[in-house]
């Protein structure tokens, strides 16, 4: 439609009629003269509105989802944080239970040998003194720790103290190649010297070249003069290999240590030696072998067919016609 004077007058007239109809409709209320026209319009345009609404609603839902996604993301993040905190707590509880077990085993070992100990925690590996197999513990001179004290844990011999500070100390592990300790065989009392070999078994040189020793035999510390650096009776390890005797004055054996040097946590420094040598009482109890089941098979009588009952043979059958 062109923008002419007539078109403008028509537009003004339509607007005036619309306002008039709106006024009449409002004033008429339920009896409005245009109510019928409105119902007819609703009948005609209602399905169209429903179709448009059906098409628009998913879009509206999507928009609402996008709008609410931030809240849900925050909630998911919160749940993930709570889950991580719970896992950390459970992990901490597991670690605490493990450390309680280690401390309990340490106290039992110290009680069996009557060792006065100062418990400590391993806080570092490999000190600056140049040793390849050392750990640092969180106890020092302020706790009564001195150089050349024996260090144990719930499994056995860990090492000896080499350097002491006010609140920390360095422990040379029994696995270090520079570590040597006097040993004594269980029951036979054969003496020797054990030397560390890193992550390999300890090498033990028995003083008696003809000593009778076999895999499974166990060793403890022999002890030092004035109980420094080693107190007696601390479990060292178990024999796993014996070199053949060649008539030498000494004999070499290899021992698997009881202590796992790569997973040390709670240790005890022996600050008071036992009054008497505990001998073999600190060694762990030997495992009880499982009983073997013996099956006895009774052979069937000679000549009897398999599956036939055994018993005295029956007499000859009577032949017919014979009295």
């Amino acid at each position: 439609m062109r923008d002419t004077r007539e078109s403008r007058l028509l537009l003004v007239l339509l607007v005036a009629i619309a306002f008039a109809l709106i006024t009449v409709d409002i004033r008429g209320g339920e009896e409005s003269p245009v109510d019928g026209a409105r119902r007819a319009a609703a009948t005609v345009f209602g399905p169209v509105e429903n179709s448009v609404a059906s098409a628009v609603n998913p879009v509206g839902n999507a928009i609402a989802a996008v709008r609410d996604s931030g809240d849900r993301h925050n909630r998911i993040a919160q749940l993930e944080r709570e889950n991580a905190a719970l896992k950390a707590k459970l992990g901490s509880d597991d670690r605490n239970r493990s450390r309680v077990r280690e401390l309990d085993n340490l106290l039992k070992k110290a009680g069996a040998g009557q060792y006065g100990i100062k418990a400590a925690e391993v806080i570092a590996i490999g000190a600056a003194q140049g040793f390849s197999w050392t750990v640092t513990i969180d106890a020092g001179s302020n706790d009564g720790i001195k150089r050349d004290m024996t260090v144990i844990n719930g499994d056995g011999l860990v090492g000896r103290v080499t350097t002491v500070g006010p609140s920390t100390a360095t422990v040379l592990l029994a696995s270090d190649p520079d570590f040597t300790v006097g040993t004594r065989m269980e029951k036979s009392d054969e003496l020797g010297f054990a030397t560390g070999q890193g992550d390999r078994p300890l090498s033990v040189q028995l003083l008696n070249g003809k000593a009778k020793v076999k895999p499974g035999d166990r060793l403890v510390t022999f002890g030092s003069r004035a109980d420094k650096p080693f107190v007696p009776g601390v479990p060292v390890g178990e024999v796993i290999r014996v070199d053949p005797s060649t008539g030498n004055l000494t004999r070499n054996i290899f021992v698997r240590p009881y202590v796992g040097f790569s997973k040390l946590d709670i240790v005890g420094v022996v600050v008071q030696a036992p009054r008497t040598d505990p001998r073999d009482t600190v060694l762990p109890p030997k495992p009880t072998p499982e009983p073997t089941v013996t099956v006895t098979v009774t052979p069937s009588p000679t000549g009897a067919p398999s599956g036939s009952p055994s018993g005295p043979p029956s007499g000859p059958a009577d032949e017919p016609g014979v009295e």
Side-chain angles (χ1 to χ4, degrees):
M1 179 181 295
R2 294 183 179 181
D3 186 12
T4 61
R5 184 176 182 182
E6 290 79 3
S7 63
R8 291 180 182 178
L9 291 175
L10 179 60
L11 179 60
V12 171
L13 180 60
L14 291 175
V15 171
I17 293 172
F19 276 107
L21 291 174
I22 292 172
T23 302
V24 172
D25 185 32
I26 293 174
R27 290 181 178 179
E30 294 181 356
E31 296 179 357
S32 172
V34 297
D35 186 58
R38 182 167 56 245
R39 292 178 181 176
T43 303
V44 174
F45 295 105
V48 178
E49 291 175 350
N50 289 334
S51 300
V52 174
S54 299
V56 173
N57 281 341
V59 178
N61 293 337
I63 294 174
V66 172
R67 183 179 62 251
D68 298 338
S69 64
D71 296 337
R72 285 200 299 272
H73 178 73
N74 293 337
R75 178 57 178 163
I76 291 173
Q78 180 181 356
L79 292 174
E80 289 178 347
R81 288 193 297 269
E82 292 176 356
N83 190 26
L86 180 60
K87 288 182 178 179
K89 182 178 180 181
L90 292 176
S92 177
D93 289 344
D94 290 341
R95 176 169 173 76
N96 288 337
R97 284 192 292 267
S98 175
R99 301 185 77 187
V100 168
R101 287 194 298 269
E102 287 189 31
L103 182 58
D104 183 61
N105 292 335
L106 172 61
L107 294 177
K108 289 180 180 178
K109 193 73 67 178
Q114 296 300 305
Y115 306 125
I117 64 170
K118 173 65 179 179
E121 179 183 357
V122 174
I123 58 175
I125 300 175
Q129 282 79 2
F131 300 119
S132 56
W133 291 82
T134 61
V135 295
T136 302
I137 58 175
D138 63 348
S141 58
N142 294 339
D143 304 290
I145 307 301
K146 298 179 181 180
R147 180 183 170 87
D148 287 337
M149 282 186 169
T150 309
V151 182
I152 66 174
N153 70 357
D155 297 320
L157 179 67
V158 172
R160 62 180 176 88
V161 177
T162 56
T163 306
V164 182
S167 59
T168 61
T170 301
V171 178
L172 180 67
L173 301 180
S175 56
D176 190 276
D178 289 335
F179 185 95
T180 301
V181 58
T183 62
R184 180 179 57 79
M185 296 289 299
E186 179 186 15
K187 295 181 180 180
S188 69
D189 292 339
E190 294 287 352
L191 302 181
F193 293 95
T195 303
Q197 296 192 111
D199 55 359
R200 295 180 296 168
L202 303 176
S203 174
V204 180
Q205 187 178 54
L206 296 179
L207 300 182
N208 181 7
K210 299 180 180 181
K212 294 182 179 180
V213 58
K214 63 184 183 302
D217 289 346
R218 305 185 296 179
L219 296 85
V220 298
T221 56
F222 177 67
S224 306
R225 178 178 296 180
D227 299 315
K228 288 187 177 183
F230 301 109
V231 295
V234 180
V236 175
E238 183 177 306
V239 177
I240 59 173
R241 183 163 65 90
V242 181
D243 277 357
S245 178
T246 57
N248 296 329
L249 297 178
T250 60
R251 191 171 191 184
N252 295 328
I253 61 176
F254 297 91
V255 174
R256 179 177 59 243
Y258 287 122
V259 172
F261 299 105
S262 61
K263 51 182 180 181
L264 292 172
D265 188 8
I266 304 297
V267 299
V269 181
V270 180
V271 295
Q272 183 176 358
R275 294 182 179 179
T276 58
D277 187 346
R279 306 293 293 178
D280 303 331
T281 59
V282 190
L283 283 168
K286 289 187 175 181
T288 303
E290 297 182 359
T292 57
V293 179
T294 304
V295 178
T296 303
V297 178
T298 304
S300 60
T302 306
S306 175
S308 62
S310 60
S314 59
D318 295 337
E319 295 181 3
V322 178
E323 295 182 357

